[in-house]
Amino acid sequence: MIDFFFLVPIAIGMGLVGLASFMWTLRSRQYDDLEGAAQRILFEGNEGPVLEEKRPTPSSGIKSKAEGSEFPKLGKAQR
């Protein structure tokens, strides 16, 4: 029973700290432009949208080591 005398004030204090921090975020206007923040993540500075770098494909004549090498086929005696 004596534990409640410590736990209840601690829980109320933590709740008040959470409420105070939420009210601070409201006053500092952090929730005003949610749509703009979602769109700004797609851009790097003022350059525009970030485009993916084009990589050469195997159809362009460039072969990697894995594509050009073939493994020898093992017979029953070599396994």
Side-chain angles (χ1 to χ4, degrees):
M1 182 69 182
I2 197 159
D3 294 337
F4 290 120
F5 292 119
F6 295 111
L7 293 178
V8 170
I10 290 173
I12 291 173
M14 289 175 63
L16 288 174
V17 168
L19 181 64
S21 63
F22 176 70
M23 296 304 285
W24 176 77
T25 59
L26 283 178
R27 282 195 194 147
S28 64
R29 305 175 61 99
Q30 292 193 20
Y31 302 113
D32 284 349
D33 188 21
L34 296 178
E35 200 62 35
Q39 292 176 3
R40 274 192 304 271
I41 198 169
L42 302 174
F43 298 97
E44 272 189 18
N46 296 329
E47 299 171 1
V50 177
L51 301 175
E52 286 188 26
E53 183 179 314
K54 297 211 177 201
R55 296 184 178 126
T57 59
S59 63
S60 65
I62 300 173
K63 288 188 175 182
S64 66
K65 283 185 177 180
E67 290 174 1
S69 65
E70 291 186 20
F71 295 105
K73 295 182 182 177
L74 300 176
K76 290 182 182 177
Q78 293 176 346
R79 287 186 194 172

